[in-house]
Amino acid sequence: MESEDALLALSALAQATRLDVFRLLVAHEPEGLAAGEVARRLAVPANTLSAHLAILARAGLINAARHSRSIVYRARPERLHALVGFLVEDCCGGHAELCPPPSAPAFRHPVARPRHKETPMPDRAFNVLFLCTGNTARSIMAESILRKDGADRFRAFSAGSQPKGAVNPFALKVLAADDYPTDDLRSKSWSEFAGPDAPVMDFVFTVCDNAAGETCPVWPGQPMTAHWGIEDPAAATGNDVMVERAFVTALRYLKNRISVFTALPFASLDRLALGSKLRDIGRMEGATHRKAELT
């Protein structure tokens, strides 16, 4: 490494946020992290993070590659290894071999570390939780649809961040008209599913934008999450025929999403690929514009 390269690298790391970014990426070698995930973990605004990533890239400390719709960033630990080698080159009167070698994992060349291979989701029955704010319509309908259409492969649940305590009668009416189960459906809090005795969820889907923007409980088992927002049929105005029509439309959008979801080849998809499929489902016909990322 030349002096100019060393100065560039040292300058890039001589700032608190960039140092945190580099250390985070080193910890996630060799898979790397998407820019959005880095921003979320470090609570750094996206535009600010972009500037820091550019500086680290110019210094040769990180690189980027496109994966599907995301840009994934990876650290270059060998570059830091070269920097340390440059700094201790003249250690002990030119006898660098007398200096204690760096022992931190960050200084190991990435080829010395076995690459972690994502494993597919296990082929078994999955627990699925649908979330909304009031848990009176959309999440209730999604629970009922999956309960029937998922058969023995899925166990469906629903809850709300601020449950209203009663299921919307139009939701019950359109479900029954389409031969979906309505027994045992109730409006309840999502806290029921966050305790140690609750069923461990494999998937958690928000179906309204408000719930997607709220801070969810810490779900046991770290389930996969996605936002499948559609318009609230309970907000429809007009006479009963017009309101019922909104519920029928919501039911159709939810059925389409759940149909695609239940047809996914879970046994052959790793979590990265499955996460992409789940987000694609959320963009199907009828999708609302998400106001905030699911946390």
Side-chain angles (χ1 to χ4, degrees):
M1 176 175 281
E2 302 295 329
S3 296
E4 185 176 346
D5 294 329
L7 287 170
L8 192 61
L10 290 170
S11 177
L13 294 173
Q15 198 275 341
T17 300
R18 290 197 291 273
L19 184 60
D20 288 344
V21 169
F22 184 74
R23 294 186 67 195
L24 178 64
L25 292 177
V26 166
H28 285 81
E29 271 296 291
E31 294 85 6
L33 287 174
E37 181 65 10
V38 175
R40 186 187 71 82
R41 293 188 183 215
L42 299 180
V44 178
N47 57 343
T48 301
L49 178 66
S50 179
H52 288 311
L53 290 171
I55 292 172
L56 289 169
R58 283 197 297 271
L61 293 168
I62 65 172
N63 55 26
R66 178 171 290 279
H67 290 269
S68 186
R69 292 184 174 88
S70 299
I71 302 296
V72 174
Y73 287 85
R74 288 189 54 197
R76 297 182 60 194
E78 76 280 6
R79 185 72 169 172
L80 192 56
H81 182 89
L83 175 62
V84 173
F86 172 82
L87 294 174
V88 302
E89 185 177 9
D90 294 323
C91 177
C92 303
H95 297 283
E97 70 277 4
L98 299 179
C99 296
S103 57
F107 298 125
R108 297 175 190 161
H109 196 278
V111 298
R113 227 179 123 184
R115 179 176 289 274
H116 171 69
K117 182 177 178 58
E118 285 277 3
T119 56
M121 294 287 288
D123 188 13
R124 56 172 174 76
F126 297 112
N127 290 333
V128 182
L129 177 62
F130 296 98
L131 294 181
C132 205
T133 304
N135 188 217
T136 65
R138 287 165 289 183
S139 53
I140 287 285
M141 289 193 291
E143 176 187 358
S144 177
I145 294 167
L146 184 60
R147 187 190 297 181
K148 177 184 175 182
D149 294 352
D152 297 329
R153 297 184 58 218
F154 301 91
R155 289 183 288 269
F157 306 88
S158 72
S161 58
Q162 302 172 43
K164 294 184 178 180
V167 178
N168 190 296
F170 282 101
L172 296 175
K173 182 178 180 179
V174 299
L175 284 170
D178 221 6
D179 200 27
Y180 282 106
T182 58
D183 55 303
D184 300 328
L185 293 177
R186 62 187 179 91
S187 176
K188 54 200 170 296
S189 173
W190 62 12
S191 62
E192 289 191 18
F193 300 96
D197 297 327
V200 176
M201 295 299 155
D202 297 290
F203 300 94
V204 176
F205 302 132
T206 49
V207 292
C208 72
D209 293 342
N210 288 339
E214 293 173 334
T215 301
C216 297
V218 177
W219 307 110
Q222 297 182 324
M224 299 194 69
T225 62
H227 181 55
W228 292 0
I230 62 172
E231 292 291 343
D232 184 6
T237 57
N239 57 36
D240 285 358
V241 173
M242 297 171 68
V243 173
E244 184 175 337
R245 187 181 303 140
F247 274 84
V248 170
T249 299
L251 183 72
R252 175 167 58 87
Y253 289 153
L254 291 169
K255 284 175 62 177
N256 290 344
R257 285 160 171 71
I258 290 170
S259 174
V260 174
F261 171 65
T262 57
L264 290 175
F266 296 94
S268 62
L269 292 173
D270 61 32
R271 288 181 67 89
L272 184 62
L274 181 56
S276 178
K277 297 286 188 184
L278 298 178
R279 289 189 293 274
D280 287 342
I281 291 174
R283 301 185 187 102
M284 291 175 62
E285 180 189 7
T288 53
H289 295 290
R290 181 167 44 179
K291 298 175 183 176
E293 291 293 330
L294 176 63
T295 55

